Amino acid sequence: MSSAPPTHVVLLGDSTLDNLIWVNHSVADSVVGRLRAGLRKHFAPAVPLVTNCAADGFTSGDVLRGAMPAVSGGAWAAAGEPFPGWEANEIFRPLDRLDALHKESARCSHAVVSVGGNDFLEALSGQRPLAETAAAFSANLAAILARMENTAAPPHIVLMFQYRPCLATDAEGHGVYGAIDRAIPGAAPPLAKLNQLMENVYRPIVAAARTRRIPVVDLPRAMDPADPDLFVNQIEPSAKSSALIAAILVHLLASHDFDGPSRLYRTDAAGGFSSEVNDAATPWTIDRA
């Protein structure tokens, strides 16, 4: 059984949720637009509100402390949906906006958090050691969750893990796999190295989600890095990804019991959806090539 249906879903994080500029500035083809369409279809006539507070380019530190939404701030404003409470050339603080929504009688019932990809892109470009980046990311995410849980009216939280970048476009894109291969010693293929890095980073977060009874959208096991149609410029979600990400979120929001245990949600081999209890006896592992 699911909990009470969502009334207001707020998105926080980076371009995994805010991919407007990567789908030709089409709100309808973005994750935000696809999520609205999916929720409208499933929950009509009581359609939940969706507010985007995710900003392309944001790191976990940016979500926690605020930053300039330089990549997509103007694009959302041009689309008629500026970031809530944000004025051009100002710092945008997503967690402050979450607090403000409660005071404005637009309380967030559910919040989706997806962040971390830009932290590790900075590390792979040589700006910071990987181990230091992983530790800072984990600390920032813990602080983000604590801040959200300590609001006047805490929302139901959904964590979304970062997908793996496109394999086929490494040379033309950001060169993530080449950077991984150089950064992590050993003879294993770059994808295997990335899988191991993600397992090391996410397993403690999976354990924290279990303790906090937070559901997880398991994109590393839902998005195939061998499918170039899912990506733009190697790392950004395409319109096809928008549909996939939104569909998993709609399924989770419609079916998850937020009073029950943490669960991991993804697609299955038949193109449907699957979920499994976040069980301490089963270490989280990326089991798809």
Side-chain angles (χ1 to χ4, degrees):
M1 289 292 292
S2 64
S3 305
T7 56
H8 187 182
V9 181
V10 176
L11 309 181
L12 303 99
D14 56 28
S15 62
T16 299
L17 294 170
D18 170 24
N19 64 334
L20 178 67
I21 68 171
W22 303 106
V23 291
N24 298 316
H25 296 248
S26 168
V27 175
D29 287 332
S30 70
V31 172
V32 174
R34 293 283 189 164
L35 179 58
R36 285 174 177 156
L39 293 175
R40 186 163 53 247
K41 181 177 180 180
H42 188 89
F43 288 102
V47 180
L49 180 67
V50 175
T51 298
N52 179 47
C53 288
D56 190 354
F58 267 29
T59 65
S60 60
D62 295 335
V63 173
L64 180 62
R65 292 177 286 273
M68 186 76 69
V71 180
S72 60
W76 277 109
E81 289 193 49
F83 291 113
W86 177 73
E87 298 291 340
N89 301 317
E90 288 187 355
I91 299 297
F92 177 58
R93 294 179 172 83
L95 296 178
D96 285 356
R97 289 310 308 161
L98 203 62
D99 290 338
L101 288 171
H102 174 68
K103 297 173 185 176
E104 295 165 2
S105 300
R107 186 180 76 83
C108 167
S109 64
H110 295 70
V112 181
V113 181
S114 180
V115 71
N118 292 310
D119 299 60
F120 287 91
L121 279 180
E122 289 183 355
L124 292 173
S125 67
Q127 297 179 48
R128 198 178 198 180
L130 270 175
E132 183 181 322
T133 297
F137 165 65
S138 296
N140 286 341
L141 184 59
I144 290 167
L145 296 178
R147 170 83 181 271
M148 295 169 71
E149 290 171 337
N150 289 321
T151 57
H156 293 305
I157 298 171
V158 176
L159 271 179
M160 181 179 289
F161 286 175
Q162 179 64 55
Y163 50 79
R164 295 170 291 170
C166 182
L167 280 163
T169 57
D170 201 52
E172 310 93 72
H174 286 255
V176 172
Y177 291 100
I180 284 281
D181 204 26
R182 293 187 293 272
I184 300 176
L191 179 59
K193 290 182 179 181
L194 177 60
N195 290 347
Q196 187 62 62
L197 173 64
M198 294 181 81
E199 288 169 2
N200 291 342
V201 169
Y202 278 135
R203 279 177 179 166
I205 296 170
V206 169
R210 183 185 312 122
T211 300
R212 286 176 147 108
R213 297 194 296 183
I214 295 174
V216 175
V217 177
D218 194 350
L219 289 187
R221 296 194 291 167
M223 285 178 60
D224 183 359
D227 181 358
D229 291 338
L230 290 170
F231 306 92
V232 179
N233 195 23
Q234 189 182 25
I235 63 168
E236 307 296 351
S238 67
K240 181 177 179 179
S241 281
S242 293
L244 175 64
I245 292 167
I248 298 173
L249 278 174
V250 171
H251 172 70
L252 186 157
L253 292 169
S255 63
H256 185 70
D257 179 4
F258 284 86
D259 295 322
S262 169
R263 299 186 71 90
L264 302 164
Y265 288 81
R266 57 169 167 157
T267 51
D268 60 27
F273 305 102
S274 68
S275 71
E276 58 198 82
V277 173
N278 183 352
D279 185 357
T282 307
W284 181 80
T285 302
I286 299 175
D287 58 4
R288 290 190 185 183

